[in-house]
Amino acid sequence: MVELKNTTATIKLNTGASIPVVGLGTWRSTEADDGYKAVRKALEVGYRHIDTAAIYQNEGQVGKAINDSGVPRSEIFVTTKLWCTQQHNPKEALEQSLKRLGLDYVDLYLMHWPVSLSPRTIKDGNLLTIPVREDGARDVEISDWNFIKTWELMQELPATGLTKAIGISNFSINNIKDLLASPGNKIVPAMNQVELHPLLPQQELIDFCHSKDIIIEAYSPLGSNNAPLLTQKTIIEVAKKNNVTPAQVVISWHVQRGYVVLPKSVNADRIVANLKTFTLSKEDFDAVSNISKVEGEKRIVVPDWSPFVPFV
Ligand code: A2P
């Protein structure tokens, strides 16, 4: 029988800080006090890494849970993200996030997408939304702004103490190359958080980021809403063979690949179980790695940012 253990391993960022390899994802943990209860449970059972974002609309719940948990702030790694409507002013956006969170700083602040949305059509002042033009398309700023300008502004944030590190999310190899080659680039992103799971293994992106000292984080690691990967034949077989749950197979596979993984759950038992990982045998590891070769790759999170195309 394999040994399941609470995952306490960490990875070093290019800032020197350590990030726990398993973090609690909170996308869609917004209903009632779902986000609050999930984060309280997670911190109670040993998670020390919580991932949120301004657009998840749950920073208030998440921050309150952190503050109520009794776990010293210095022991928790907290990430939030800059929403696309605020790319012209990341400092103000971060200050607003911190206010909602009720925290003095975050450990990591990510540019959520390499896409700027114009706030000009927003009437009620709420920037945490997706503005659309009259024709119904998302109001993407394409000619007068780009992610390089946003990154230049974000680079000023670590010196303010409001965040310990800065990074990016949903960046392709080409976009990272452009960012690093830009004349104003002074800081290599500490992190690139991307969709990553057995149907989208992203080996080339992982290798590229690691070669640049950028750590990868997997979002939607179970295949996102309703965890479609957990009913996949090979994953069920490996789970049965090792007497563990399908989610533990997938999360352990991620951990073994050497990056950070952010399973989301609002269910107390699953939160407990998702922190427990084991070492897959080479045969089982290869079987999970092979799924995308047999079934084809599948990207689940594909918002329409046209005319900007992020994943090229
Ligand atoms: P729930 O929050 O009700 O537990 P991802 O992390 O890839 O975004 O996947 C999140 C989805 O997977 C959610 O629907 C979540 O539902 C579900 N989920 C999370 N952990 C487990 C688990 N251990 N077993 C089954 N489903 C899970």
Side-chain angles (χ1 to χ4, degrees):
M1 248 212 350
V2 294
E3 194 186 0
L4 278 169
K5 276 203 225 151
N6 258 10
T7 315
T8 54
T10 58
I11 296 182
K12 268 233 150 66
L13 300 178
N14 64 19
T15 57
S18 294
I19 183 166
V21 299
V22 177
L24 180 76
T26 65
W27 183 26
R28 299 195 176 103
S29 305
T30 40
E31 286 301 307
D33 53 357
D34 269 359
Y36 179 82
K37 286 199 287 206
V39 173
R40 279 300 297 271
K41 186 71 195 173
L43 293 173
E44 181 196 316
V45 302
Y47 286 73
R48 289 295 177 266
H49 175 183
I50 309 293
D51 183 272
T52 183
I55 195 66
Y56 298 171
Q57 319 270 0
N58 61 10
E59 288 175 307
Q61 293 188 40
V62 166
K64 183 166 170 21
I66 290 169
N67 283 322
D68 290 352
S69 70
V71 179
R73 171 68 187 90
S74 59
E75 289 178 17
I76 310 172
F77 194 102
V78 182
T79 300
T80 194
K81 309 185 192 87
L82 170 68
W83 184 236
C84 306
T85 51
Q86 297 192 283
Q87 293 215 352
H88 293 249
N89 202 342
K91 180 159 181 278
E92 186 180 87
L94 176 54
E95 285 164 347
Q96 291 168 357
S97 276
L98 290 171
K99 199 161 171 219
R100 286 187 292 266
L101 284 159
L103 299 176
D104 298 332
Y105 70 93
V106 287
D107 296 275
L108 179 62
Y109 194 49
L110 302 178
M111 188 189 323
H112 204 145
W113 286 89
V115 179
S116 180
L117 290 170
S118 171
R120 66 190 158 183
T121 52
I122 296 174
K123 300 275 185 304
D124 62 3
N126 176 17
L127 294 168
L128 301 184
T129 184
I130 298 178
V132 289
R133 297 192 306 252
E134 272 177 13
D135 63 4
R138 293 173 171 204
D139 205 353
V140 175
E141 290 190 302
I142 198 85
S143 54
D144 47 357
W145 195 261
N146 60 43
F147 57 76
I148 288 170
K149 292 184 182 176
T150 310
W151 188 249
E152 283 176 9
L153 298 175
M154 286 184 72
Q155 290 181 132
E156 293 163 17
L157 297 177
T160 65
L162 300 175
T163 184
K164 304 263 186 218
I166 51 171
I168 51 185
S169 180
N170 294 299
F171 267 64
S172 64
I173 292 177
N174 284 333
N175 287 339
I176 298 171
K177 281 183 179 164
D178 287 350
L179 186 85
L180 296 179
S182 66
N185 182 255
K186 291 183 288 213
I187 297 182
V188 174
M191 180 66 73
N192 185 22
Q193 184 179 126
V194 294
E195 179 181 340
L196 194 50
H197 45 70
L199 285 177
L200 194 67
Q202 306 246 45
Q203 191 61 51
E204 205 188 334
L205 179 66
I206 295 170
D207 292 344
F208 175 78
C209 285
H210 286 176
S211 78
K212 300 290 178 195
D213 219 3
I214 301 169
I215 301 297
I216 286 277
E217 275 178 332
Y219 76 69
S220 299
L222 306 175
S224 198
N225 222 5
N226 299 322
L229 277 165
L230 305 186
T231 51
Q232 200 280 341
K233 194 171 124 280
T234 307
I235 289 169
I236 289 178
E237 274 167 20
V238 173
K240 279 197 181 136
K241 184 176 146 191
N242 290 286
N243 201 19
V244 299
T245 68
Q248 286 166 333
V249 170
V250 177
I251 296 165
S252 301
W253 174 83
H254 282 290
V255 170
Q256 227 160 308
R257 295 180 82 214
Y259 50 76
V260 176
V261 54
L262 302 168
K264 172 265 172 185
S265 182
V266 293
N267 174 298
D269 293 340
R270 292 170 178 171
I271 290 170
V272 174
N274 289 351
L275 187 62
K276 295 185 193 298
T277 58
F278 69 104
T279 306
L280 279 81
S281 67
K282 182 170 184 324
E283 187 192 350
D284 291 345
F285 181 85
D286 290 345
V288 178
S289 301
N290 210 38
I291 293 171
S292 65
K293 290 176 196 141
V294 177
E295 297 192 4
E297 294 200 354
K298 187 173 177 206
R299 190 184 285 279
I300 293 160
V301 182
V302 273
D304 180 3
W305 299 121
S306 55
F308 183 80
V309 183
F311 303 119
V312 286

